[in-house]
Amino acid sequence: MINESRVAMKTSNTEKPRVVATIPVGANPVGVAVDVHDHVFVANSGASTVSVINSVTNTVSATLNVGFHPESVATDPQFGVYVANGGNGTVSAFDRFHALVATVVVGGPPGPPAPDTLRVAVDHLMSRAYVANRRLDRVSIIGISSDPPALSVDFTEVEGPLGVAVDPVSHRVFVTQPDHDKVSVIDATAHGAIGSIPVGQHPTGIAIDPQKRRVYVANSGFKTVSVIDLTTGGVVNIDVGASPTGVAVDSHGDVYVTHPDGLVRVIDSGSASVTARIPVGSQPQGLAFEPHSNRVYVANGGDGTVSAIDLAGGQ
């Protein structure tokens, strides 16, 4: 059932989502994550750095040196920040004060690095970081509560994994497989894949709404986002426009999708349809919702900036 007050709020002329800040970061920003301390972390794949943005001031407060070609970043409220470096098959682990505490080697075959090879997600209650390694056909586990964080001997074989997200309710791990048009489901307690779910063409970005029990998958090879119902197992596809890449969910369950045409499209969770198109920077890729500021931060890989979208329209 759609909440009528929320619909009225969204259609108000003064409260439409819009970009309220454009923040210069490093070269080719691709991955975004937030923590509980008003920080936004942006993986700059062309600069081998992570920019730390203060979401109160929308300015860069620090720049962290990481491994070669960082592609993804994830945070844990207790144990810190984890950056997946696709160029050299490592994960840079920082404590919650942004000090580097470990460089964990997850590996990769010899040869020049390829884009879209390594992504990371964190399960706080299980004290684990999951690393999808497309070049090695596996999802590795890092124990983040150890000092220093260390690679586990356990891993799960998955063909060509890329996007990775953790359901904090079931602690299952969902992994996109772009070359196979499906999402694999990993049981964290059994250390193995328990099944796969067909989705659209070339799935990349993935996000979970734990409250509504849904998984959203951006099918970059077509023009859809697949919605997996975690209660029934059903899958529906929403037409969002060509080549969706990244996906994020806000606190109401609405969904934000990046496209290479420089737009973020918004899916209303009640109607399951696109209700807004927000211009951002060039070639937007990763994005994340920051709840304290009620903003979505978008990494614009084509122009080295981050767009801050205020969901209430800003001041």
Side-chain angles (χ1 to χ4, degrees), residues 13-280:
N13 290 331
T14 61
E15 294 187 336
K16 292 180 180 179
R18 67 181 182 90
V19 173
V20 294
T22 300
I23 307 157
V25 287
N28 194 20
V30 291
V32 186
V34 303
D35 68 9
V36 297
H37 306 292
D38 301 315
H39 295 126
V40 180
F41 299 88
V42 184
N44 303 309
S45 64
S48 297
T49 62
V50 166
S51 296
V52 184
I53 296 172
N54 182 319
S55 65
V56 176
T57 63
N58 278 332
T59 58
V60 174
S61 60
T63 300
L64 311 178
N65 293 316
V66 295
F68 182 47
H69 196 72
E71 298 183 5
S72 174
V73 58
T75 67
D76 180 272
Q78 181 177 358
F79 299 116
V81 182
Y82 304 87
V83 184
N85 306 305
N88 59 0
T90 65
V91 171
S92 300
F94 295 83
D95 65 20
R96 57 194 179 94
F97 304 105
H98 309 161
L100 183 67
V101 293
T103 298
V104 183
V105 177
V106 295
D116 294 331
T117 59
L118 211 67
R119 302 286 171 85
V120 60
V122 164
D123 186 337
H124 169 64
L125 292 180
M126 298 290 285
S127 298
R128 293 171 177 170
Y130 294 92
V131 185
N133 192 328
R134 193 174 179 189
R135 299 182 76 185
L136 290 186
D137 293 324
R138 67 174 54 170
V139 176
S140 298
I141 301 170
I142 296 174
I144 61 176
S145 60
S146 63
D147 187 13
L151 186 68
S152 170
V153 296
D154 296 314
F155 63 87
T156 300
E157 293 183 352
V158 178
E159 290 184 318
L162 183 58
V164 56
V166 178
D167 175 18
V169 177
S170 68
H171 301 286
R172 289 180 172 177
V173 183
F174 294 79
V175 184
T176 64
Q177 296 171 264
D179 303 317
H180 303 278
D181 299 341
K182 62 184 181 180
V183 171
S184 277
V185 185
I186 298 171
D187 186 329
T189 59
H191 305 300
I194 58 174
S196 61
I197 304 167
V199 289
Q201 296 175 14
H202 204 80
T204 51
I206 186 168
I208 294 176
D209 182 343
Q211 281 74 38
K212 289 185 168 60
R213 309 304 298 141
R214 295 171 183 169
V215 179
Y216 292 90
V217 183
N219 301 309
S220 65
F222 193 45
K223 58 177 183 177
T224 60
V225 167
S226 294
V227 186
I228 304 168
D229 189 313
L230 293 178
T231 303
T232 67
V235 180
V236 298
N237 293 305
I238 302 173
D239 190 335
V240 295
S243 304
T245 305
V247 60
V249 183
D250 72 13
S251 56
H252 295 295
D254 293 334
V255 183
Y256 302 81
V257 187
T258 55
H259 296 259
D261 61 2
L263 292 176
V264 169
R265 288 167 172 85
V266 184
I267 300 172
D268 179 89
S269 61
S271 65
S273 62
V274 174
T275 57
R277 295 165 177 82
I278 306 168
V280 288

